[in-house]
Amino acid sequence: CVNTRQLMEVYGFTPELLEHITQNLTLDTSNLHKINVNSVTLKEFIKHPYVEYYFARDLINLRSRGSTFASPDDLRAIPSCTDTMLVRLLPYLDFK
């Protein structure tokens, strides 16, 4: 979790509950596992809850044809890439 708002994705979690507990929450992203988009396998990539299968498949296909991704803007070349998915996924991606 990189943002407390992500808790709203949990079934039954309400804005009121989030507001009530926010003062007691601490986010620690020091152990955040980033996914290298230039080396991840399809099997590994689709395990992430924010990765849609068609996006992962298209990324792997482009990569197999010699494409590399140096920045988030490069991912926009993938037909199945949506702005919503990209915004949610970016904190978890690495382009090195």
PDB file of all heavy atoms in Angstrom, residues 38-53:
ATOM      1  N   ASN A  38      11.136  -4.103 -17.731  1.00  0.00           N
ATOM      2  CA  ASN A  38      11.987  -4.585 -18.808  1.00  0.00           C
ATOM      3  C   ASN A  38      12.504  -6.007 -18.596  1.00  0.00           C
ATOM      4  O   ASN A  38      13.187  -6.545 -19.462  1.00  0.00           O
ATOM      5  CB  ASN A  38      13.162  -3.622 -19.027  1.00  0.00           C
ATOM      6  CG  ASN A  38      12.679  -2.312 -19.594  1.00  0.00           C
ATOM      7  OD1 ASN A  38      12.074  -2.264 -20.657  1.00  0.00           O
ATOM      8  ND2 ASN A  38      12.901  -1.234 -18.864  1.00  0.00           N
ATOM      9  N   SER A  39      12.142  -6.618 -17.467  1.00  0.00           N
ATOM     10  CA  SER A  39      12.596  -7.993 -17.233  1.00  0.00           C
ATOM     11  C   SER A  39      11.526  -8.900 -16.623  1.00  0.00           C
ATOM     12  O   SER A  39      11.729 -10.107 -16.555  1.00  0.00           O
ATOM     13  CB  SER A  39      13.836  -7.990 -16.336  1.00  0.00           C
ATOM     14  OG  SER A  39      13.535  -7.448 -15.066  1.00  0.00           O
ATOM     15  N   VAL A  40      10.430  -8.352 -16.183  1.00  0.00           N
ATOM     16  CA  VAL A  40       9.391  -9.160 -15.543  1.00  0.00           C
ATOM     17  C   VAL A  40       8.797 -10.168 -16.536  1.00  0.00           C
ATOM     18  O   VAL A  40       8.673  -9.889 -17.731  1.00  0.00           O
ATOM     19  CB  VAL A  40       8.277  -8.261 -14.936  1.00  0.00           C
ATOM     20  CG1 VAL A  40       7.458  -7.568 -16.010  1.00  0.00           C
ATOM     21  CG2 VAL A  40       7.386  -9.048 -13.998  1.00  0.00           C
ATOM     22  N   THR A  41       8.443 -11.334 -16.031  1.00  0.00           N
ATOM     23  CA  THR A  41       7.770 -12.328 -16.870  1.00  0.00           C
ATOM     24  C   THR A  41       6.261 -12.101 -16.794  1.00  0.00           C
ATOM     25  O   THR A  41       5.762 -11.448 -15.874  1.00  0.00           O
ATOM     26  CB  THR A  41       8.069 -13.765 -16.390  1.00  0.00           C
ATOM     27  OG1 THR A  41       7.470 -13.962 -15.101  1.00  0.00           O
ATOM     28  CG2 THR A  41       9.564 -14.042 -16.340  1.00  0.00           C
ATOM     29  N   LEU A  42       5.571 -12.652 -17.762  1.00  0.00           N
ATOM     30  CA  LEU A  42       4.110 -12.524 -17.778  1.00  0.00           C
ATOM     31  C   LEU A  42       3.516 -13.121 -16.509  1.00  0.00           C
ATOM     32  O   LEU A  42       2.669 -12.501 -15.858  1.00  0.00           O
ATOM     33  CB  LEU A  42       3.523 -13.216 -19.015  1.00  0.00           C
ATOM     34  CG  LEU A  42       2.006 -13.210 -19.135  1.00  0.00           C
ATOM     35  CD1 LEU A  42       1.487 -11.782 -19.280  1.00  0.00           C
ATOM     36  CD2 LEU A  42       1.560 -14.058 -20.315  1.00  0.00           C
ATOM     37  N   LYS A  43       3.992 -14.286 -16.128  1.00  0.00           N
ATOM     38  CA  LYS A  43       3.478 -14.970 -14.938  1.00  0.00           C
ATOM     39  C   LYS A  43       3.661 -14.121 -13.681  1.00  0.00           C
ATOM     40  O   LYS A  43       2.771 -14.034 -12.840  1.00  0.00           O
ATOM     41  CB  LYS A  43       4.174 -16.324 -14.791  1.00  0.00           C
ATOM     42  CG  LYS A  43       3.611 -17.198 -13.715  1.00  0.00           C
ATOM     43  CD  LYS A  43       4.296 -18.544 -13.717  1.00  0.00           C
ATOM     44  CE  LYS A  43       3.749 -19.430 -12.628  1.00  0.00           C
ATOM     45  NZ  LYS A  43       4.388 -20.751 -12.616  1.00  0.00           N
ATOM     46  N   GLU A  44       4.825 -13.490 -13.556  1.00  0.00           N
ATOM     47  CA  GLU A  44       5.089 -12.635 -12.397  1.00  0.00           C
ATOM     48  C   GLU A  44       4.231 -11.367 -12.441  1.00  0.00           C
ATOM     49  O   GLU A  44       3.694 -10.940 -11.419  1.00  0.00           O
ATOM     50  CB  GLU A  44       6.556 -12.209 -12.364  1.00  0.00           C
ATOM     51  CG  GLU A  44       7.530 -13.314 -12.066  1.00  0.00           C
ATOM     52  CD  GLU A  44       8.972 -12.875 -12.282  1.00  0.00           C
ATOM     53  OE1 GLU A  44       9.234 -11.966 -13.092  1.00  0.00           O
ATOM     54  OE2 GLU A  44       9.839 -13.460 -11.619  1.00  0.00           O
ATOM     55  N   PHE A  45       4.136 -10.786 -13.629  1.00  0.00           N
ATOM     56  CA  PHE A  45       3.460  -9.497 -13.774  1.00  0.00           C
ATOM     57  C   PHE A  45       1.975  -9.579 -13.441  1.00  0.00           C
ATOM     58  O   PHE A  45       1.421  -8.710 -12.778  1.00  0.00           O
ATOM     59  CB  PHE A  45       3.685  -8.974 -15.187  1.00  0.00           C
ATOM     60  CG  PHE A  45       3.628  -7.477 -15.330  1.00  0.00           C
ATOM     61  CD1 PHE A  45       3.852  -6.622 -14.267  1.00  0.00           C
ATOM     62  CD2 PHE A  45       3.364  -6.909 -16.565  1.00  0.00           C
ATOM     63  CE1 PHE A  45       3.812  -5.238 -14.410  1.00  0.00           C
ATOM     64  CE2 PHE A  45       3.323  -5.532 -16.726  1.00  0.00           C
ATOM     65  CZ  PHE A  45       3.545  -4.704 -15.648  1.00  0.00           C
ATOM     66  N   ILE A  46       1.320 -10.634 -13.907  1.00  0.00           N
ATOM     67  CA  ILE A  46      -0.131 -10.720 -13.684  1.00  0.00           C
ATOM     68  C   ILE A  46      -0.488 -11.048 -12.241  1.00  0.00           C
ATOM     69  O   ILE A  46      -1.663 -10.984 -11.864  1.00  0.00           O
ATOM     70  CB  ILE A  46      -0.814 -11.709 -14.660  1.00  0.00           C
ATOM     71  CG1 ILE A  46      -0.270 -13.123 -14.486  1.00  0.00           C
ATOM     72  CG2 ILE A  46      -0.688 -11.221 -16.089  1.00  0.00           C
ATOM     73  CD1 ILE A  46      -0.992 -14.169 -15.311  1.00  0.00           C
ATOM     74  N   LYS A  47       0.486 -11.344 -11.412  1.00  0.00           N
ATOM     75  CA  LYS A  47       0.215 -11.565  -9.992  1.00  0.00           C
ATOM     76  C   LYS A  47      -0.123 -10.265  -9.266  1.00  0.00           C
ATOM     77  O   LYS A  47      -0.747 -10.293  -8.220  1.00  0.00           O
ATOM     78  CB  LYS A  47       1.417 -12.226  -9.308  1.00  0.00           C
ATOM     79  CG  LYS A  47       1.601 -13.674  -9.669  1.00  0.00           C
ATOM     80  CD  LYS A  47       2.798 -14.248  -8.942  1.00  0.00           C
ATOM     81  CE  LYS A  47       3.012 -15.699  -9.328  1.00  0.00           C
ATOM     82  NZ  LYS A  47       4.197 -16.256  -8.643  1.00  0.00           N
ATOM     83  N   HIS A  48       0.323  -9.143  -9.820  1.00  0.00           N
ATOM     84  CA  HIS A  48       0.049  -7.858  -9.177  1.00  0.00           C
ATOM     85  C   HIS A  48      -1.427  -7.515  -9.364  1.00  0.00           C
ATOM     86  O   HIS A  48      -1.955  -7.602 -10.471  1.00  0.00           O
ATOM     87  CB  HIS A  48       0.925  -6.753  -9.771  1.00  0.00           C
ATOM     88  CG  HIS A  48       0.925  -5.522  -8.939  1.00  0.00           C
ATOM     89  ND1 HIS A  48      -0.132  -4.648  -8.926  1.00  0.00           N
ATOM     90  CD2 HIS A  48       1.843  -5.028  -8.071  1.00  0.00           C
ATOM     91  CE1 HIS A  48       0.132  -3.663  -8.092  1.00  0.00           C
ATOM     92  NE2 HIS A  48       1.318  -3.864  -7.558  1.00  0.00           N
ATOM     93  N   PRO A  49      -2.120  -7.121  -8.310  1.00  0.00           N
ATOM     94  CA  PRO A  49      -3.561  -6.874  -8.408  1.00  0.00           C
ATOM     95  C   PRO A  49      -3.951  -5.717  -9.334  1.00  0.00           C
ATOM     96  O   PRO A  49      -5.088  -5.662  -9.796  1.00  0.00           O
ATOM     97  CB  PRO A  49      -3.978  -6.573  -6.966  1.00  0.00           C
ATOM     98  CG  PRO A  49      -2.723  -6.216  -6.250  1.00  0.00           C
ATOM     99  CD  PRO A  49      -1.616  -6.922  -6.954  1.00  0.00           C
ATOM    100  N   TYR A  50      -3.043  -4.818  -9.639  1.00  0.00           N
ATOM    101  CA  TYR A  50      -3.371  -3.694 -10.513  1.00  0.00           C
ATOM    102  C   TYR A  50      -3.028  -3.949 -11.976  1.00  0.00           C
ATOM    103  O   TYR A  50      -3.289  -3.114 -12.827  1.00  0.00           O
ATOM    104  CB  TYR A  50      -2.662  -2.420 -10.056  1.00  0.00           C
ATOM    105  CG  TYR A  50      -3.146  -1.862  -8.742  1.00  0.00           C
ATOM    106  CD1 TYR A  50      -2.353  -0.988  -8.025  1.00  0.00           C
ATOM    107  CD2 TYR A  50      -4.394  -2.192  -8.218  1.00  0.00           C
ATOM    108  CE1 TYR A  50      -2.788  -0.455  -6.812  1.00  0.00           C
ATOM    109  CE2 TYR A  50      -4.820  -1.668  -7.018  1.00  0.00           C
ATOM    110  CZ  TYR A  50      -4.018  -0.807  -6.320  1.00  0.00           C
ATOM    111  OH  TYR A  50      -4.455  -0.277  -5.129  1.00  0.00           O
ATOM    112  N   VAL A  51      -2.426  -5.081 -12.262  1.00  0.00           N
ATOM    113  CA  VAL A  51      -2.024  -5.389 -13.634  1.00  0.00           C
ATOM    114  C   VAL A  51      -3.122  -6.189 -14.317  1.00  0.00           C
ATOM    115  O   VAL A  51      -3.498  -7.262 -13.863  1.00  0.00           O
ATOM    116  CB  VAL A  51      -0.684  -6.170 -13.667  1.00  0.00           C
ATOM    117  CG1 VAL A  51      -0.358  -6.600 -15.085  1.00  0.00           C
ATOM    118  CG2 VAL A  51       0.431  -5.321 -13.097  1.00  0.00           C
ATOM    119  N   GLU A  52      -3.615  -5.645 -15.408  1.00  0.00           N
ATOM    120  CA  GLU A  52      -4.606  -6.351 -16.218  1.00  0.00           C
ATOM    121  C   GLU A  52      -3.875  -7.292 -17.176  1.00  0.00           C
ATOM    122  O   GLU A  52      -2.817  -6.954 -17.716  1.00  0.00           O
ATOM    123  CB  GLU A  52      -5.468  -5.345 -16.968  1.00  0.00           C
ATOM    124  CG  GLU A  52      -6.261  -4.462 -16.030  1.00  0.00           C
ATOM    125  CD  GLU A  52      -6.977  -3.328 -16.744  1.00  0.00           C
ATOM    126  OE1 GLU A  52      -6.946  -3.272 -17.988  1.00  0.00           O
ATOM    127  OE2 GLU A  52      -7.544  -2.485 -16.039  1.00  0.00           O
ATOM    128  N   TYR A  53      -4.464  -8.455 -17.394  1.00  0.00           N
ATOM    129  CA  TYR A  53      -3.807  -9.487 -18.204  1.00  0.00           C
ATOM    130  C   TYR A  53      -3.413  -8.962 -19.586  1.00  0.00           C
ATOM    131  O   TYR A  53      -2.286  -9.174 -20.043  1.00  0.00           O
ATOM    132  CB  TYR A  53      -4.706 -10.716 -18.348  1.00  0.00           C
ATOM    133  CG  TYR A  53      -4.135 -11.698 -19.342  1.00  0.00           C
ATOM    134  CD1 TYR A  53      -3.086 -12.545 -18.976  1.00  0.00           C
ATOM    135  CD2 TYR A  53      -4.596 -11.736 -20.654  1.00  0.00           C
ATOM    136  CE1 TYR A  53      -2.529 -13.420 -19.886  1.00  0.00           C
ATOM    137  CE2 TYR A  53      -4.028 -12.612 -21.569  1.00  0.00           C
ATOM    138  CZ  TYR A  53      -3.001 -13.449 -21.184  1.00  0.00           C
ATOM    139  OH  TYR A  53      -2.440 -14.304 -22.094  1.00  0.00           O
TER     140      TYR A  53
END
